[in-house]
Amino acid sequence: AGGICIAQSLKIPHEHKPSDFDKIIRQLLDTRYARTVVLFASDEDIRGILNASKRADQVGHFLWIGSDSWGSKNSPIHQLEDAAVGAITILPKRATISGFDAYFMSRTLENNRRNVWFAEYWEENFNCKLMSSSKKDDSSRKCTGQERIGVDSKYEQEGKVQFVIDAVYAMAHALHNMQRDLCPDVSGICPEMELAGGKKLLKYIRSVSFNGSAGTSVTFNRNGDAPGRYDLFQYQRSNGTGSGYRAVGQWTETLQLNMEELRWPRGEQDVPVSVCSLPCRAGQRKKVVKGMPCCWHCEPCDGYQFQADEFSCKLCAYNMRPGANRTSCRPIPIIKLEWHSPWAVIPVFLAMLGIIATIFVMATFVRYNDTPIVRASGRELSYVLLTGIFLCYIITFLMIAKPDVGVCSFRRVFLGLGMCISYAALLTKTNRIYRIFEQGKKSVTAPRLISPTSQLAIAFSLISVQLLGVLVWFGVDPPNTVVDFDEQRTIDPELARGVLKCDITDLQIICSLGYSILLMVTCTVYAIKTRGVPENFNEAKPIGFTMYTTCIVWLAFIPIFFGTAQSAEKLYIQTSTLTVSMNLSASVALGLLYVPKVYVIIFHPELNVQKRKRSFKAVVTAATMSSRLSHKAADRPNGEAKTELCENLEPNSESRGSGRPATLMFITRMV
């Protein structure tokens, strides 16, 4: 009440020892910031508390407030003045009743008739012994009976005399009013009054109102308390005037305190603060100690919590984080992969080099479109393959660009399309080679669908599967952007970031690339099957090396991509890994399949000439005989077989001078 809260309520044992007071001081220090101690204790107990504070070296720490039992007496603080400095005490306002002094000082052993304790008081006041049954020891002198109060002893009117007189008058007024109400026609006590009981008498006592012995009004409130009238004192020590109690205010219905007159221990200038717990800082909640409503522990709102009110913390919304002082929430910053980031610079640099190289190769092929090397490499599928390689490089820029609906749409289309085009063209080539030589083992008839038009049709049919899958993806889940607040939701909210990205999951990325990977694996299988074909006839071996290297690249990509799924750097690592893997795949195909051809076209044009034309029958026969001779040579432990292929320019022409058809001859030389 009144803004006052009790941190602790301690009792002084009835039979106490010095250790009991030491324990009380230790308990008071548990709530160290609650410095004010209100004492309702006897003089002896007050001395015990002050002594214990000195033993604990806490002089000046506690601010004592003494009840009227302390008042302005010197006995509780004798030789403990330093521990009592700053203590504020109260004493009921009182007036000296002059008639009482005259009456009491005239009392003697002879004229006392009704005070049964007067003889005991006489012995204590004059330090003498009246009778053998007295409690005074035998060494005390005998009382003569001629002693006089105030003459032979020091006398000072007891401060509560006024209140005793007023209490007697209050009882008298209550009985008078009660008799008047219950016995209006009877003088004295009537039966109704005898049976009234204490509760009814208390009601009359609380209802009295009269002027007391000091001329002040005597009334009681509904709780039975008389109006409080107190003088306030503070025990002060001054070098000039010495130590003593100094009046600093009073209470008469309201507090009147002279702040300029107050002096505090330890020389404090401002009014000392006494609280059980210091106020919590911003961003901290109060955890109230059970049974002590004004005492609490301050607990910080941690993680993504903010201080909702004085006693609770609440979690910020998923897209928010607590402010600097944790009293509110603020939006989490949104980031994306920036062009200047090292995770983007390297893939972009590789992609730019690849695009320049691809354009250069394509321009070279267009410029020398009708030369033997370009024609022999299968011009139609070469341009398809170069287009796929170009798209593999282009996807790097789409993966790093700021996500929006348009960018996300292009990502879905081109993410797997470049690889699909590349490996569809390579698969068509390797499949053609495989079918030609497999057919040659059975007959000299050329297999179906090996013409350039057929090859393009096969390649585009394979590519259409990827495009169909993308169209279905668009229909089922339209492209959109999302902000992922979980990816970089760090323990420290200050480091938390929302990641702006396309609404494409890791599984969807793998599914989009899955068809291309299937084409790549199938192409690798055909490359392995055609590895024994003589390199003079086709690109089987360069394609094989390309596919082996590409498989290694993507085998390294998969664990890196999925292994970083829980990393805070997931956006950067996965994007960089994906784009670098696609750049490397395109670069491997470009380097192994086209760089040697471009080198010959530009630097050795003398090699870019028409060679002897081979019929399908000649090609098949050569491949079959080469395979057989290789097996025979392997059966000769001490020799090596070397095969030389000789062909006429026109397989169907007649040999000069012989009139016989030209034949394909193999000369095996034993070394």
Side-chain angles (χ1 to χ4, degrees), residues 435-448 450 614-625 628 651-652 664:
R435 288 189 296 113
I436 287 174
F437 285 94
E438 284 297 309
Q439 180 71 15
K441 294 177 183 179
K442 302 174 183 177
S443 68
V444 295
T445 305
R448 300 173 58 189
I450 61 173
R614 296 186 293 266
S615 67
F616 174 73
K617 178 180 179 181
V619 171
V620 173
T621 305
T624 305
M625 295 301 297
R628 291 176 181 174
N652 296 323
L664 192 64

Side-chain angles (χ1 to χ4, degrees), residues 553-584:
V553 170
W554 286 97
L555 284 174
F557 159 78
I558 291 176
I560 296 175
F561 187 85
F562 286 102
T564 57
Q566 304 301 322
S567 172
E569 303 291 329
K570 172 184 175 181
L571 169 70
Y572 309 121
I573 297 175
Q574 289 190 344
T575 302
S576 181
T577 304
L578 177 61
T579 52
V580 168
S581 297
M582 298 189 75
N583 288 338
L584 290 178

Side-chain angles (χ1 to χ4, degrees), residues 374-667:
V374 175
R375 295 175 63 186
S377 63
R379 289 175 296 183
E380 296 78 6
L381 287 181
S382 291
Y383 290 131
V384 172
L385 178 55
L386 287 171
T387 302
I389 292 173
F390 181 80
L391 292 179
C392 287
Y393 289 123
I394 287 294
I395 191 62
T396 298
F397 299 93
L398 291 175
M399 296 300 293
I400 298 174
K402 181 179 180 180
D404 56 36
V405 175
V407 170
C408 294
S409 300
F410 281 115
R411 281 189 190 180
R412 291 192 180 189
V413 173
F414 292 108
L415 180 61
L417 185 60
M419 289 179 58
C420 178
I421 293 174
S422 300
Y423 298 126
L426 288 176
L427 177 59
T428 303
K429 278 191 174 188
T430 54
N431 175 264
R432 176 176 179 270
I433 296 169
Y434 175 76
R435 288 189 296 113
I436 287 174
F437 285 94
E438 284 297 309
Q439 180 71 15
K441 294 177 183 179
K442 302 174 183 177
S443 68
V444 295
T445 305
R448 300 173 58 189
L449 304 176
I450 61 173
S451 65
T453 304
S454 301
Q455 296 297 291
L456 288 176
I458 294 172
F460 284 122
S461 64
L462 294 174
I463 296 169
S464 65
V465 175
Q466 174 75 19
L467 293 175
L468 180 61
V470 172
L471 288 176
V472 173
W473 188 7
F474 270 82
V476 174
D477 183 17
N480 197 7
T481 58
V482 294
V483 179
D484 188 348
F485 292 98
D486 294 326
E487 185 171 315
Q488 293 198 21
R489 194 175 183 85
T490 56
I491 296 176
D492 184 1
E494 290 300 314
L495 302 178
R497 297 293 184 270
V499 180
L500 176 64
K501 60 183 183 180
C502 292
D503 188 14
I504 303 176
T505 64
D506 294 348
L507 181 60
Q508 289 173 334
I509 290 176
I510 295 301
C511 290
S512 179
L513 297 174
Y515 179 64
S516 300
I517 294 175
L518 176 63
L519 294 178
M520 179 182 69
V521 172
T522 307
C523 186
T524 304
V525 172
Y526 277 114
I528 294 173
K529 289 185 175 183
T530 58
R531 67 186 183 279
V533 175
E535 59 183 344
N536 292 342
F537 291 94
N538 56 76
E539 300 175 298
K541 289 187 177 179
I543 292 175
F545 290 136
T546 300
M547 299 318 301
Y548 306 151
T549 308
T550 303
C551 287
I552 293 173
V553 170
W554 286 97
L555 284 174
F557 159 78
I558 291 176
I560 296 175
F561 187 85
F562 286 102
T564 57
Q566 304 301 322
S567 172
E569 303 291 329
K570 172 184 175 181
L571 169 70
Y572 309 121
I573 297 175
Q574 289 190 344
T575 302
S576 181
T577 304
L578 177 61
T579 52
V580 168
S581 297
M582 298 189 75
N583 288 338
L584 290 178
S585 300
S587 299
V588 167
L590 190 66
L592 293 179
L593 297 179
Y594 291 101
V595 169
K597 295 180 176 64
V598 172
Y599 176 78
V600 171
I601 291 172
I602 295 176
F603 296 103
H604 294 283
E606 70 277 4
L607 299 179
N608 189 11
V609 295
Q610 179 72 41
K611 293 185 179 181
R612 287 170 293 181
K613 189 175 181 181
R614 296 186 293 266
S615 67
F616 174 73
K617 178 180 179 181
V619 171
V620 173
T621 305
T624 305
M625 295 301 297
S626 176
S627 176
R628 291 176 181 174
L629 290 174
S630 297
H631 289 300
K632 290 181 179 180
D635 294 336
R636 297 185 177 91
N638 298 320
E640 294 182 357
K642 182 176 180 181
T643 303
E644 294 181 357
L645 178 63
C646 300
E647 296 181 77
N648 287 334
L649 291 175
E650 297 295 335
N652 296 323
S653 64
E654 298 289 328
S655 297
R656 182 177 300 177
S658 64
R660 293 180 300 173
T663 58
L664 192 64
M665 300 177 63
F666 291 89
I667 303 172

Side-chain angles (χ1 to χ4, degrees), residues 5-10 23-32 34 36 38 276 291-292 294-295:
C5 182
I6 299 174
Q8 296 189 66
S9 180
L10 305 176
K23 180 181 179 181
I24 289 174
I25 293 298
R26 287 195 300 270
Q27 289 176 308
L28 291 175
L29 290 174
D30 288 341
T31 53
R32 189 169 188 82
T36 302
V38 181
C276 181
M292 303 169 68
C294 59
C295 300

Side-chain angles (χ1 to χ4, degrees), residues 221-260:
N221 60 22
R222 61 182 180 180
N223 296 322
D225 296 323
R229 300 183 185 92
Y230 298 95
D231 287 319
L232 278 67
F233 300 90
Q234 186 181 42
Y235 187 79
Q236 299 179 356
R237 173 175 288 178
S238 173
N239 295 330
T241 59
S243 302
Y245 293 97
R246 184 170 184 174
V248 293
Q250 62 179 351
W251 172 276
T252 51
E253 296 184 358
T254 59
L255 177 64
Q256 302 169 41
L257 191 62
N258 189 353
M259 300 298 296
E260 290 76 14

Side-chain angles (χ1 to χ4, degrees), residues 109-110 122 126-130 141-148 152:
L109 292 174
E110 289 80 12
W122 194 272
F126 296 108
N127 194 23
C128 61
K129 185 176 181 181
L130 279 175
R141 67 181 181 86
K142 297 288 184 179
C143 297
T144 63
Q146 301 302 314
E147 297 90 355
R148 291 294 177 265
D152 299 315

